[in-house]
Amino acid sequence: MTPARILIVEDNRVVARDIRGQLSNIGHTVVGMTARGDNAVELALTARAEIVLMDIRLEGSLDGIGAAQQIREHCKIPVIFLTAYADDETVQRASHTEPFGYLLKPFEELELRTAIEMALYNHAAERKLRESERRFVAILSSIGDAVIATDEETRVTFMNPVAEALTGWPQREAIGRPLAEIFRIVNEETRQRVVEDPARQVLSLGTSVGLANHTMLLARDGRELPIDDCGSPIIDDGGRITGAVLVFRDISQRRQMEETLRKAQADLVHVARLTTMGELAVSIAHEVNQPLMGIVTNAEACLLWLGKDQPDLDEARKAADRVVKNGHRTGDVLKSIRSLVRKSSRELTKLDINAAIMEVLGLMRSELRRHEISVEAELSEDARLVVGDRVQLQQVILNLILNAIEGMSATACQPRVLNLSSQNDKTGYTLIAIADTGVGIDSTGSNRIFEPFFTTKQEGIGMGLSICRSIVEAHGGRLWASSNSPYGSIFRFTVPRSANELSFDPAA
Amino acid sequence: MNSHSTPPHEAQPTVMVIDDDRDIREALQGLLRSVGLRVELFASVQEFLDSGQLSRPGCLVLDVRLPGRSGLDFHDDLVSANVHLPVVFISGHADVQMSVRAMKAGAIEFLTKPVRHQDLLDAIQRAILYDGAHREEQRTLGAIRTNFDKLTSREREVMALVVAGRLNKQIAAEIGISEATVKFHRGQVMRKMHVRSVAELVRIADKLQLTHPQPQTTSTKV
């Protein structure tokens, strides 16, 4: 038994004394006795009573029920009614004060004892519950995420301050309103109202749900915020879903950071491409010089044919035709250089990967020749069409070919062969392989070659392969390396053949 | 590309262009044909070798950078194989080192793309003249050799001593025959070698690079 400090409010002093005797027997302490309802509250507070035994009929203007009401409002000390009246109306009134017990006079000591025990126990449980509630309110008010709770009809039952700030609705106005009115969301791109509000989804599915990407919250004051959210059901002891909790946050700042990061990455990719092009400058100049030589020579031949005593117009025309052809060839070379040097945002198109490979090979022909490398191309017709960013894919091919050239120029006597192939892998991807007969991959470094700043070269900064991999992965493909037989290495990568395979983030 | 018969071309020199770039080949062909030169085109050294025209009169126009062996390496091969086909190099780059190497190896000219047509035509002209002169010389040398082969060993002995400046008497003493016999052999040498004077015989001996047999031995013997 827990000894308790008890206040007795009883207009019959004989009965009061009797009760005090009983309580002492049980082991409780009576900290005060009064016959009036109007001073019961004050007495309960000053005497620090832990429980109040309250008669209903009392002296003074306030009866026991009124006094219990005041005690409940002021200090939440548990009250047990003691009364000889058990008529319906009285019981009804008394129950409004949420008493912790109801003893009908006359009562036995055991009944009194039990009633006090029960009241103390329930009071402690109630206090714990109140504490827990206060704790949750404090937590929900201080976290950075917005929280809205609803009942099973998706009517708002709770909003924390962040939710109030983001939606622009104060909790007191929002409570009881349908969630869809407070939490108005649209798809960022289509501007279409998201049909089913997340609370309703949670209620119907009974599981936690995340919101689709690119959701915008329309606040009451007209602001639009990109948000990220999830909802969870509230489930009672019986397993019934009694409501939903929605947690969401403003992601505009994160968006901004992502955008900045994306720009930085795009810049890096571009700079890497320029660096690569710079390494190739001499070879590329040669590719322009070739048709230029053709133009000059043909034009001179044309003039010579025309300058004869008997001008040969037919030959002159043929030479002029060759000038035109070479002029176009120069243009094509310049076009492919310009497209590689241009700083462009990622552009997804259906493209001919075989043509893209040949174009890169065209720019590198002189470089390959300089290193006495022969080229084999096995490009499959049914692997031709892929979806991706042409410039970036060419950058990958360019880097891998340069890599192969470097690997081969480091070897002295092996035949130098660069083998390029494309094939349809029958799983929706085109597989491109770039094989060389160079030094191959050091087995200890093979896992690290794709890491940023890992390099085995004197002059490299080690970004080439790392950038290649990030480009390929942004296309939803894979890039990996293995050893070629009997020597050299093979780099392979996949590119999706249709947009379905693309895990490209369209916002990026 | 070319017929197997060589004799008809023997008269007219041919410019053989080896370049792996079709546009360049066609442009050069157009230019050279416009000045009346005969042109043959090859995409690679191998293609040229396979055509079996190494001994054809004319010259080679070679791109420095070719797939497989470079133009410079091929030129070295020709030189070490004693093939005297003159070469005009065309390079995409004004590479000093390369041009020095080419010129040292005996190239006629090293031109940078885009080539001035007059420079190219001049170089080709020189190359063809050089080739013609060289072939003429080779022909003469061939004839001399044939004549020389007809000499007996005694006649060769006498000839060596004659071009070394010995008198008939000295020769007779040196090889132990009569002066009359020396005179006879000497007459045979002049006739078989188709020369009329000792000076001419000396020139021919130079071409044959005959080593004079121990010119100092006589003085020590005497």
Side-chain angles (χ1 to χ4, degrees), chain B residues 21-41:
Chain B
D21 193 318
R22 206 178 120 203
D23 285 341
I24 300 290
R25 287 200 302 275
E26 286 179 352
L28 288 174
Q29 184 184 38
L31 178 71
L32 301 179
R33 278 184 54 238
S34 75
V35 294
L37 285 165
R38 177 192 290 274
V39 186
E40 289 282 349
L41 303 179

Side-chain angles (χ1 to χ4, degrees), chain A residues 282 286 289-290 293-294 296-298 300-301 304-305 308 315 322 325-326 329 365-366 369-370 372, chain B residues 20-21 23-24 26-28 30-31 33-35 63 65-68 73 92-93 113-115 117:
Chain A
V282 173
H286 183 81
N289 207 16
Q290 287 289 100
M293 156 99 177
V296 172
T297 308
N298 283 308
E300 278 170 344
L304 288 171
W305 289 114
K308 287 182 188 301
E315 286 289 352
R322 289 195 297 269
K325 189 176 126 200
N326 281 285
R329 176 176 160 193
R365 202 167 42 165
S366 160
R369 201 190 303 163
R370 191 159 71 85
E372 292 171 13
Chain B
D20 69 325
D21 193 318
D23 285 341
I24 300 290
E26 286 179 352
L28 288 174
L31 178 71
R33 278 184 54 238
S34 75
V35 294
D63 189 358
R65 269 186 200 170
L66 287 168
D73 291 343
H93 315 273
K113 288 180 190 173
V115 174
H117 80 290

Side-chain angles (χ1 to χ4, degrees), chain B:
Chain B
M1 181 147 281
N2 191 51
S3 63
H4 296 285
S5 54
T6 34
H9 308 299
E10 205 56 60
Q12 199 185 354
T14 305
V15 182
M16 288 159 281
V17 175
I18 309 181
D19 195 310
D20 69 325
D21 193 318
R22 206 178 120 203
D23 285 341
I24 300 290
R25 287 200 302 275
E26 286 179 352
L28 288 174
Q29 184 184 38
L31 178 71
L32 301 179
R33 278 184 54 238
S34 75
V35 294
L37 285 165
R38 177 192 290 274
V39 186
E40 289 282 349
L41 303 179
F42 305 94
S44 67
V45 167
Q46 198 52 50
E47 200 181 290
F48 170 66
L49 291 175
D50 291 348
S51 74
Q53 312 206 18
L54 266 177
S55 56
R56 194 166 171 172
C59 69
L60 271 177
V61 173
L62 255 187
D63 189 358
V64 172
R65 269 186 200 170
L66 287 168
R69 273 180 91 58
S70 80
L72 289 174
D73 291 343
F74 174 57
H75 185 214
D76 290 345
D77 291 349
L78 291 180
V79 171
S80 54
N82 231 358
V83 175
H84 289 270
L85 201 52
V87 174
V88 175
F89 277 110
I90 296 183
S91 166
H93 315 273
D95 186 322
V96 177
Q97 260 182 316
M98 264 196 243
S99 63
V100 168
R101 179 181 156 193
M103 297 310 285
K104 270 190 173 167
I108 297 292
E109 191 57 278
F110 189 96
L111 301 167
T112 306
K113 288 180 190 173
V115 174
R116 274 172 211 288
H117 80 290
Q118 204 49 57
D119 294 349
L120 178 65
L121 294 177
D122 287 351
I124 287 173
Q125 212 53 54
R126 265 187 287 136
I128 288 172
L129 283 175
Y130 170 87
D131 185 56
H134 180 73
R135 276 166 200 281
E136 183 55 42
E137 199 174 320
Q138 287 305 105
R139 252 194 304 279
T140 317
L141 189 61
I144 294 168
R145 279 238 163 77
T146 315
N147 296 338
F148 185 69
D149 287 347
K150 288 177 189 154
L151 300 185
T152 63
S153 57
R154 181 60 88 194
E155 283 162 1
R156 286 182 199 182
E157 209 173 352
V158 171
M159 175 176 165
L161 291 166
V162 169
V163 299
R166 303 285 197 284
L167 301 173
N168 289 347
K169 197 165 40 180
Q170 289 172 310
I171 296 169
E174 200 157 317
I175 55 181
I177 54 172
S178 73
E179 206 177 327
T181 316
V182 171
K183 265 186 185 164
F184 169 73
H185 285 312
R186 190 174 173 147
Q188 284 294 88
V189 168
M190 301 296 270
R191 196 178 55 77
K192 285 185 178 171
M193 295 307 290
H194 302 283
V195 293
R196 277 189 293 271
S197 67
V198 173
E200 254 182 283
L201 190 67
V202 170
R203 242 193 335 270
I204 282 175
D206 271 351
K207 281 194 176 134
L208 286 170
Q209 291 172 322
L210 286 186
T211 47
H212 310 290
Q214 310 99 24
Q216 261 76 50
T217 46
T218 37
S219 49
T220 48
K221 245 186 179 177
V222 174

Side-chain angles (χ1 to χ4, degrees), chain A residues 444-462:
Chain A
T444 56
S446 64
N447 294 323
R448 301 191 54 212
I449 52 174
F450 295 110
E451 286 173 18
F453 303 115
F454 178 81
T455 181
T456 55
K457 295 174 224 149
Q458 206 93 67
E459 285 152 23
I461 56 163

